[in-house]
Amino acid sequence: MANNTAQLQEKPHPMEDILRMDRMPHIWCSGCGLGSAVTSFVEGLKKAGVSYDKTAIVSGIGCTGRVAGYLRLDSYHTTHGRAIPFATGLKLANRDLTVVVFSGDGDLFAIGGNHLIHAARRNVDINVICVNNFIYGMTGGQNAPTTPLGAYSSTAPFGNYEMPFNLVGLAAASGASYVARWTTMHARRLTDSIATAAKKKGFCFIEIVSPCPTVFARKNKGGTGLDMLKEFQTRAIIDHDADPTKIPLNMDNEIVCGEFVNEDRPTFWENVQSGIKSRVEKFTDWEEMQSNSKKIHHKTFLKYTASRES
Amino acid sequence: MFKKSRLIGEFFMQGDIACAEGAIAAGCRFFGGYPITPASEIAERMALRLPLLQGVFIQYEDEIASIAGILGASWAGAKSMTATSGPGISLMTENIGLGMMMEAPCVVVNVQRGGPSTGLPTSWGQSDMMQARWGSHGDYGSISLVPNSPQEFFDLTVTAFNFSEKYRLPVFLMADALVGHMTEKVVIPPVEELEIINRKYTTKKPEDYLPYDYGKDLIPDFAKAGDGYRYHTTGLTHDKRGYPDMSFECQNELVPRLVNKIKNHIDDISLTEEYDIEGADVIVISYGITSRTILPALTMAKKKGIKIGYLRLKTVWPFPEEKIRKLSEKVAGFVVPEMNLGQISLEVERCAHNDSIVKLVPHPGGGIHKFEDVLHAIEEVAHGK
């Protein structure tokens, strides 16, 4: 037995080229869906064939916020809710990078909701992967903007009375170029989606419905991580033609998965280039403007000085 | 497209525009901001100038996004800037802390107005001085430069970029609505004549590189995104690899370093202007626009035979503690007129020798000091009151 363990340890991890092995073991609970989500992400990047050296990952705060720290990429663990504007700056200042935001539902849709809709509206060329576990895991199970109506959380001891957001609906309505939803059960399809998004221009949004056995399931009699996956399996259906705005998630309805939006829209930077380029070119020659402004300004200056002296 | 898109020469120019031109001259090619009086002209100028220089201008959805964006751009290697006023700074403070912790070079301009809250949007004040030092939670060293004219707004913007690049932190430029909206002569020299400092990039190979390893100067070498270094950066307390480490030992190595990397270089960072300090009985300490509006009071005091010296702080943070300490041993006291109800005067009090008097001449903002008030304070100190 001891011999077998030693052999196991000697075998390199199949993802050690991209995981920070010196940071293992990770902090996530057993039964959490984040391990599957990260595996699909890594497989997706491999499939897309993007260069790891040219890929940056940005996270916010929370359980999913820790993803950046475990991936050996240019990785940024930023403040709560602000991963998207940080990623926007990173991408626009170095447009050769593939920039991925990997964060949770609370981070991206509660405190960071404003940034998400505006980044989607601008169609900034970044990918946002949102792991939705319906609750705040890191802080101990408080209500999230995704907590289903009636579900229990530590700040909804009598059940949640707030309407949750439908994440894919919001992303699609805000103008995202690519919108998909999968559960952690759909490892292969999720991997494909991540690969598609990695190659696609524009704002891509992928929701990953994920089990949180430690807080969500415990408060809502959901059982173990495995039980939750089984539940996803029974409740999930795939319908690529579904209207993303009409498929909210609640405690017991169908979890409609699929690629709902896959369109080509000009990105923020393409619009900058095509939209204002001709106007920039038509802009009065700088030297002329400089000499003009000098002349005009000097005249004003002299007038001003004269008026003060008189 | 535009070979000579640099502005060079003499201009009659607004302070805010001089700031934008200073940023361009310093090499700033990324601006993220949100409109706010009296700083909007900086964003407007950048929106005009950056496309001509292949730079990036983005008007974000709020100030929180603006500061997060310039931190991201900084990590891509760009010199980046945002400009706002008090309410915007209040929104930015959390991510300013992130910039301090991650050690991301960038410049944050605060064209101060009267506060608190919405306060005096179109009028001026200097009441954000302590916020610039202590605004974000936790301990960190910080740099704040305070211009008193459009020309100096240009000059200190260049200096702010230099300090941010050299010491790897967000640097505050604390102007005010008067300086921002004032139009005066501004001389823009050719870039070759300006001292431009760029961040120190590592020369190590990715496998040997530790992102938060440092030498005697306590400043880590930089490596930007996309260069194959693939390292981790976090707002959590981190070790030299950038990995989170919640131990006391790690906190005790990191946080004092963030403070000391500024403290140890105070001689380089502290910019002051002195007049008639030698043999003075009373020293007036001032900064920003106040340093100009009170000048008649100094002339009056001189005419009355008071031996008066004048110390102007261009760098307010880090505070020139040693300088004040030494001066206080020789003088009867200090007069500190400022456009708030007592902020930098507290620092002067802290550093001044026990026997010397420190007299604040407060002003709530939205106007300027009465000369008589300043003169009265000078006379009181001269007479040992």
Side-chain angles (χ1 to χ4, degrees), chain A residues 286-303:
Chain A
W286 187 256
E287 236 168 315
E288 195 186 316
M289 181 187 161
Q290 188 181 343
S291 56
N292 271 346
S293 59
K294 227 163 143 179
K295 220 158 40 193
I296 293 162
H297 288 327
H298 264 273
K299 225 192 229 164
T300 328
F301 183 60
L302 292 175
K303 218 161 105 188

Side-chain angles (χ1 to χ4, degrees), chain A residues 72 74-75 77 79 122 290, chain B residues 8 61 95 226 230 232 234:
Chain A
R72 207 159 64 77
D74 286 317
S75 58
H77 182 216
T79 46
R122 292 187 188 106
Q290 188 181 343
Chain B
I8 301 159
E61 53 274 17
N95 279 328
R230 290 164 62 180
H232 187 54
T234 174

Side-chain angles (χ1 to χ4, degrees), chain B residues 206-354:
Chain B
E207 54 272 27
D208 302 328
Y209 176 65
L210 289 172
Y212 291 98
D213 197 8
Y214 51 88
K216 271 186 188 158
D217 62 359
L218 306 182
I219 304 153
D221 291 347
F222 196 83
K224 68 180 197 294
D227 278 358
Y229 286 84
R230 290 164 62 180
Y231 66 89
H232 187 54
T233 308
T234 174
L236 287 164
T237 296
H238 47 267
D239 59 19
K240 287 176 183 172
R241 296 171 298 175
Y243 289 1
D245 180 347
M246 300 298 105
S247 69
F248 161 74
E249 289 73 22
C250 189
Q251 173 83 351
N252 195 36
E253 186 175 352
L254 173 64
V255 184
R257 180 173 68 76
L258 295 181
V259 174
N260 291 333
K261 74 172 178 179
I262 304 305
K263 215 178 205 173
N264 294 357
H265 296 99
I266 188 161
D267 291 342
D268 178 43
I269 302 166
S270 195
L271 307 171
T272 55
E273 228 174 61
E274 296 169 9
Y275 302 98
D276 305 330
I277 292 284
E278 278 308 310
D281 280 338
V282 183
I283 292 177
V284 174
I285 300 179
S286 192
Y287 56 91
I289 191 61
T290 313
S291 64
R292 294 174 71 180
T293 58
I294 57 149
L295 285 178
L298 271 67
T299 318
M300 289 180 215
K302 214 174 221 174
K303 275 185 190 158
K304 289 197 172 194
I306 298 170
K307 281 184 191 165
I308 189 147
Y310 175 48
L311 175 65
R312 180 163 81 89
L313 309 178
K314 291 200 229 174
T315 304
V316 167
W317 305 117
F319 193 71
E321 297 169 345
E322 266 312 301
K323 189 180 237 21
I324 305 292
R325 214 162 274 154
K326 278 182 189 153
L327 285 175
S328 72
E329 285 164 9
K330 299 177 193 161
V331 297
F334 300 94
V335 173
V336 188
E338 50 183 340
M339 230 180 277
N340 55 54
L341 304 185
Q343 295 192 12
I344 299 307
S345 63
L346 299 175
E347 284 294 290
V348 180
E349 268 177 37
R350 180 174 69 82
C351 301
H353 193 259
N354 285 340

Side-chain angles (χ1 to χ4, degrees), chain B residues 188-220:
Chain B
I188 302 181
V191 169
E192 304 80 66
E193 288 175 22
L194 289 168
E195 193 202 4
I196 305 287
I197 299 173
N198 296 318
R199 66 193 77 169
K200 206 171 128 206
Y201 283 96
T202 184
T203 48
K204 288 186 176 162
K205 287 179 191 154
E207 54 272 27
D208 302 328
Y209 176 65
L210 289 172
Y212 291 98
D213 197 8
Y214 51 88
K216 271 186 188 158
D217 62 359
L218 306 182
I219 304 153

